[in-house]
Amino acid sequence: MPAIEVPTPELADLTKLPKCPPRIVKAIADGVLFEAHNAEFERAVWRKQMVEKYGWPDIPLRQWRCSAAKGSAYALPRDLERIARVLKVKNQKDVGEGSTALKS
């Protein structure tokens, strides 16, 4: 199967790309930690989309924290749905339509 060609934007179109909010630029520069469940996935998405596609600043590896890894260190489940249930957090993971779409 041939690769899908993604058209490169014309120079005039570059002004329409979303700009990184100043508070995020400042947070990255100030060394603020970015926490995510399965942070390596979020980091990969950030780099491929926000950095490469939109030119936003990269978040250095040292500023990422992974709640899945932290939970694992305490012998808690790694997946977000089960760890939220075990810890009885108020906001549970949405396991509705998105989860069932992956199974079909």
Side-chain angles (χ1 to χ4, degrees):
M1 175 175 270
I4 299 171
E5 269 193 54
V6 179
T8 14
E10 294 297 322
L11 191 56
D13 292 341
L14 292 177
T15 59
K16 296 177 184 170
L17 295 176
K19 301 282 186 235
C20 187
R23 69 179 190 275
I24 294 177
V25 174
K26 183 174 178 356
I28 294 170
D30 290 349
V32 170
L33 300 179
F34 289 76
E35 177 122 12
H37 200 78
N38 191 7
E40 190 56 32
F41 172 78
E42 300 298 335
R43 183 172 173 253
V45 171
W46 180 268
R47 294 186 88 190
K48 276 308 231 186
Q49 292 298 310
M50 307 320 293
V51 176
E52 289 180 20
K53 189 174 180 180
Y54 297 113
W56 289 25
D58 196 8
I59 301 168
L61 179 59
R62 69 181 174 275
Q63 286 177 242
W64 285 98
R65 295 297 179 269
C66 181
S67 57
K70 286 180 185 178
S72 245
Y74 289 100
L76 293 167
R78 274 195 52 90
D79 65 284
L80 186 56
E81 179 185 359
R82 290 191 310 143
I83 197 170
R85 209 174 335 122
V86 166
L87 294 176
K88 298 179 180 157
V89 296
K90 182 180 174 185
N91 297 315
Q92 296 289 312
K93 180 181 176 190
D94 177 15
V95 291
E97 230 175 89
S99 293
T100 55
L102 293 175
K103 294 175 185 171
S104 53

